[in-house]
Amino acid sequence: MITTVLLVTAALAARAPQDTLDASARRALADVRFLADDRQEGRGVGSDGLARAGAYIREAFARAGLDASFQDFAIPTDAPAVLHTKLGGTATRNVVAILPGTSPALRGQVVVIGAHYDHLGRGGFGAMDPDSTGRVHNGADDNASGTAALLEVARRLAGQRPARTIVFVAVDSIYAMLNMDMVGRLRSARLLALGAATAKEFPALLDSLNTPARFDLRASGDGWGPSDHAVFFAARRPVLHFFTDLHEDYHRSTDDWQRINQKGVAEVARFVADLAWTLANRPGPLTFVDAPRPQATAGGGSGYGAYLGTIPDMTGSGGVEGVRITGVRAGSPAEQAGLAAGDLITAIGVKAITNLYDMTDALRSHQPGDTVVIVVKRGAAEQRMTAVLGRRAS
Ligand SMILES: [Zn+2]
């Protein structure tokens, strides 16, 4: 879900105070537990639970010493993401906190850090587990984790005297946008920095910051990912989306706080705070690198299409054409067909698969219940498997 964004803009001139990671992890977990508690009803758009979450976030910003406010808006009725929902026109709000810059030359430029705080509510549209409609979907990783990391970044940077500032609405003045969406499942220190190709300076910058941080950092890709940073990329701003990758609980009612890696959230927050600091104080401009917008899919707007249940490797397929998968969902058509972690999908039915967009397209062109042949490369061997596609969501 990308409908409700909260933003804190950071501009800095003195080094952020360093806190112990353990204290940071405890605070992050407390935030996740509040936001992903059943009482917040899954933070569905328009719900009382989402309103309570918003109030909590504003309060947390204020307690950190930042100037925080709500920005009310109604979800546009023609937004592509709401065509199949009844969310168009629903009133909701962003939470915006500002850390003003001090440099006369640079305070007109902004570093934006964002994380959406809404989730699926009680399931239904967008959920991967249609049988669970009515059950609270807590979204601990998606995206209480990013929200908690955002609050930790704010706590680390609040009280500083930054060079660059923040103006949330003035897109022209945005220097870079850092998005944290699903950062709660750090495994084997593997952190994805999607959008690293959107500024020439990003790869080296991320590399140098990672020398002390020591993530298994996968920095790659353009800015067209399915989250809040894409609109900033469309406005030709460098963007980064930090992400600890997909997992079986994604968009399911099992995405609960008990499965959050709290130390991982704190580590990501520390890394993003350091990056925000560096960006807000480096002297020169960033060199924006554009990329073509992915083609609208043939079935766009006509629904989700059929369900396969693969977990794609979001870092890509290692330069070869196809979609590499890191696993399959339990009980899914993919599992029943025999697909496994490490497989490279190269065709679904008659359609060649070179990337994730092809795959979305192929699944949208099929109906639940269709039988399709899936061609995969497993090691050197090519294998053909037969899957009976399922239903994606109710
Ligand atoms: Zn999300």
Side-chain angles (χ1 to χ4, degrees):
M1 296 289 281
I2 56 167
T3 44
T4 309
V5 188
L6 65 97
L7 301 161
V8 57
T9 15
L12 327 139
R15 190 70 187 163
Q18 295 307 304
D19 198 354
T20 72
L21 208 52
D22 284 346
S24 176
R26 275 195 298 276
R27 286 191 301 261
L29 188 66
D31 290 337
V32 169
R33 286 188 67 169
F34 179 88
L35 295 166
D37 189 283
D38 283 349
R39 281 171 301 174
Q40 266 51 272
E41 308 163 63
R43 306 184 306 287
V45 173
S47 70
D48 289 347
L50 186 66
R52 273 192 295 277
Y56 175 91
I57 293 158
R58 184 186 171 179
E59 174 65 29
F61 278 139
R63 239 181 296 125
L66 293 170
D67 200 358
S69 58
F70 291 119
Q71 183 197 49
D72 292 293
F73 68 101
I75 296 177
T77 49
D78 58 349
V82 303
L83 285 177
H84 303 279
T85 70
K86 298 187 177 71
L87 295 179
T90 307
T92 189
R93 50 191 9 184
N94 292 332
V95 189
V96 184
I98 295 175
L99 185 57
T102 55
S103 157
L106 296 177
R107 67 186 172 212
Q109 299 175 14
V110 219
V111 175
V112 180
I113 312 171
H116 73 86
Y117 70 97
D118 63 309
H119 190 58
L120 299 171
R122 292 182 177 269
F125 180 82
M128 300 288 189
D129 49 356
D131 296 345
S132 74
T133 300
R135 218 182 294 153
V136 172
H137 286 56
N138 282 318
D141 188 32
D142 187 15
N143 189 29
S145 68
T147 307
L150 182 69
L151 293 174
E152 274 307 290
V153 173
R155 289 170 188 132
R156 281 182 177 275
L157 301 182
Q160 305 305 302
R161 308 284 297 164
R164 288 195 173 85
T165 291
I166 293 132
V167 184
F168 158 71
V169 283
V171 171
D172 275 357
S173 65
I174 289 173
Y175 185 74
M177 195 270 179
L178 310 179
N179 179 26
M180 291 177 286
D181 191 357
M182 298 177 66
V183 294
R185 299 288 190 106
L186 192 70
R187 287 152 286 177
S188 311
R190 189 166 183 267
L191 177 64
L192 280 58
L194 306 173
T198 65
K200 274 196 179 129
E201 295 81 3
F202 275 164
L205 202 57
L206 289 164
D207 227 37
S208 67
L209 288 171
N210 194 39
T211 304
R214 291 210 233 127
F215 286 105
D216 173 11
L217 188 68
R218 312 290 176 93
S220 67
D222 63 33
W224 293 118
S227 187
D228 305 305
H229 56 281
V231 295
F232 293 87
F233 185 63
R236 304 180 60 79
R237 295 295 126 190
V239 297
L240 285 168
H241 169 202
F242 292 94
F243 179 36
T244 52
D245 217 342
L246 288 176
H247 48 77
E248 292 210 345
D249 301 311
Y250 171 67
H251 277 201
R252 289 170 187 260
S253 62
T254 49
D255 181 3
D256 282 322
W257 70 265
Q258 290 89 342
R259 297 183 185 183
I260 292 296
N261 176 351
Q262 65 191 91
K263 190 131 186 248
V265 174
E267 285 171 356
V268 172
R270 181 174 62 183
F271 187 72
V272 171
D274 283 351
L275 176 60
W277 174 264
T278 305
L279 290 172
N281 289 290
R282 68 189 295 281
L286 291 170
T287 314
F288 176 72
V289 181
D290 208 353
R293 189 186 287 265
Q295 291 301 304
T297 54
S302 68
Y304 264 168
Y307 171 63
L308 181 57
T310 49
I311 303 172
D313 184 340
M314 302 306 283
T315 61
S317 297
V320 296
E321 291 198 338
V323 170
R324 179 89 57 199
I325 62 172
T326 60
V328 293
R329 297 182 192 283
S332 66
E335 187 188 63
Q336 282 158 22
L339 276 89
D343 284 350
L344 180 76
I345 298 175
T346 58
I348 295 178
V350 296
K351 187 160 172 54
I353 304 297
T354 59
N355 55 38
L356 266 177
Y357 302 115
D358 289 343
M359 187 149 157
T360 307
D361 223 9
L363 291 173
R364 277 190 174 157
S365 71
H366 281 285
Q367 299 294 320
D370 284 2
T371 299
V372 293
V373 172
I374 297 174
V375 182
V376 306
K377 279 203 179 109
R378 181 175 292 175
E382 189 170 273
Q383 301 197 13
R384 306 170 84 78
M385 300 175 188
T386 304
V388 181
L389 299 174
R391 185 170 299 282
R392 178 165 282 278
S394 57

